[in-house]
């Protein structure tokens, strides 16, 4: 960029003369005809969010991205007059594939805004251009719930939500306010990114096929296969049992940029091991129960952070992301749970007094003295919780002042 941004005078004159005097065919011969791109050629490198560790460069081919576009087109009953809201950042795979390339490839309208946190501008944009297809994260839905009117979203036919688990309390609040039920989807950068989605029910005279189920991430997209595996043996688990989600399909990445060992660890015989724990019900709907990286081993038992977070939000009666649960080292039990929250101290104390009402095993229940208030939960640019910063912050806040002084 530095070299290209400062051409010499002679280079400028030569380029101008060639562009003015030579036909395209001759220019290609002089400059070298570019090789036609093949389906398996690298199309882009998108870096994973890095919510739990260092971001990794995910190599996606033209085939990966193109296949995912076709899968999304087949899944949704899109019309010629549909228009997309483009507010997700393009450095995030969800925004790159679904809001940049999907409307462009399908020839559909789109309206863009650079800041998905600007609820006032988003509401005006949707209303002004009568946008029908919205892609967002749960964090952004919370902002739109507070900052947009029901009338502004009156044109929206689909509100598809991904990147993080959509809680029932938030989905119900969004539906009550806007009259539209969000459709939870699931994806990951390594899968270009879409893997599963909830869809509107298919209805015809004498027939109805359920396309969505609350609390689930829906069915796999066309061409996508999934397996649920035991986290240690990697053998398939029984139907209805939770297991490590593995994905196979044309949208699965080529690998990580410059990291062959990490690539080999997650790509097994064409299957991508996601690191998410899921359960499949009798109708084939998948539910994400937790991330493998979001467990704490306490007294020899695996404790899921996400399950504890959900119960805390239910106990506090809040629709916004108010609690973040993580684990820090503990000399007696290996780890202990720490809860960061944004509640006023009095309200947080009231929640801490009712922890017995969570209905969780004792090892899963955080201690009242392990609740710490923060001004805001750390977020990534994609709207996801920054789990690494949350873990660091929890370790600092939960460490006694005397220990810190001694370490200094």
């Amino acid at each position: 960029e530095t070299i290209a941004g400062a051409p010499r005078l002679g280079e400028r004159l030569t380029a101008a003369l060639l562009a003015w005097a030579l036909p395209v065919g001759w220019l290609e011969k002089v400059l070298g005809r570019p090789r036609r791109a093949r389906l398996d050629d690298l199309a882009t490198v998108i870096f994973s969010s890095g919510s739990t560790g260092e971001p990794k460069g995910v190599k996606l081919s033209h085939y990966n991205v193109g296949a995912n576009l076709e899968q999304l087109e087949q899944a949704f009953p899109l019309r010629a007059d549909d228009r997309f809201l483009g507010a997700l950042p393009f450095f995030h795979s969800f925004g790159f594939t679904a809001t940049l390339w999907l409307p462009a490839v399908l020839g559909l309208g789109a309206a863009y805004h650079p800041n998905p946190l600007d609820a006032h501008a988003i509401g005006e944009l949707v209303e002004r251009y009568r946008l029908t297809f919205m892609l967002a994260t749960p964090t952004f839905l919370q902002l739109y719930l507070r900052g947009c009117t029901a009338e502004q979203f009156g044109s929206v036919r689909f509100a598809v939500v991904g990147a993080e688990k959509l809680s029932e309390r938030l989905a119900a609040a969004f539906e009550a306010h806007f009259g539209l039920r969000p459709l939870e989807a699931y994806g990951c950068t390594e899968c270009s990114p879409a893997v599963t989605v909830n869809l509107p029910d298919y209805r015809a005279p004498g027939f109805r096929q359920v396309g969505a189920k609350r609390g689930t991430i829906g069915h796999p997209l066309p061409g996508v296969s999934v397996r649920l595996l035991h986290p240690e043996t990697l053998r398939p688990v029984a139907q209805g049992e939770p297991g490590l989600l593995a994905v196979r399909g044309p949208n699965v990445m080529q690998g990580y940029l410059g990291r062959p060992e990490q690539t080999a660890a997650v790509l097994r015989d064409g299957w991508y091991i996601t690191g998410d724990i899921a359960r499949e019900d009798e109708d084939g709907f998948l539910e994400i129960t937790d991330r493998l990286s979001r467990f704490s081993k306490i007294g020899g038992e695996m404790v899921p952070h996400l399950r504890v977070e959900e119960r805390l939000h239910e106990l506090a009666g809040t629709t916004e992301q108010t609690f973040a649960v993580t684990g820090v080292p503990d000399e007696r039990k290996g780890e202990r749970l720490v809860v960061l929250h944004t509640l006023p101290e009095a309200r947080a104390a009231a929640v801490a007094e009712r922890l017995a009402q969570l209905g969780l095993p004792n090892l899963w229940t955080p201690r009242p003295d392990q609740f710490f208030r923060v001004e805001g939960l750390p977020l990534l640019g994609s709207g996801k919780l920054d789990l690494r910063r949350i873990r660091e912050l929890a370790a600092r806040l939960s460490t006694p002042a005397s220990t810190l002084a001694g370490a200094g």
Side-chain angles (χ1 to χ4, degrees), residues 368-381:
D369 63 350
Q370 295 301 300
F371 283 70
F372 300 94
R373 186 179 187 280
V374 293
E375 288 301 317
L377 298 175
L379 298 176
L380 297 166

Side-chain angles (χ1 to χ4, degrees), residues 335-378:
E335 280 189 275
R336 69 176 182 278
L337 295 181
V338 173
V339 181
L340 304 185
H341 67 87
T342 58
L343 292 176
E345 291 294 355
R347 190 175 173 191
V351 171
E353 290 176 359
R354 296 186 293 145
L355 291 178
Q357 299 177 23
L358 291 175
L360 297 173
N362 288 335
L363 283 178
W364 295 26
T365 304
R367 301 201 314 252
D369 63 350
Q370 295 301 300
F371 283 70
F372 300 94
R373 186 179 187 280
V374 293
E375 288 301 317
L377 298 175

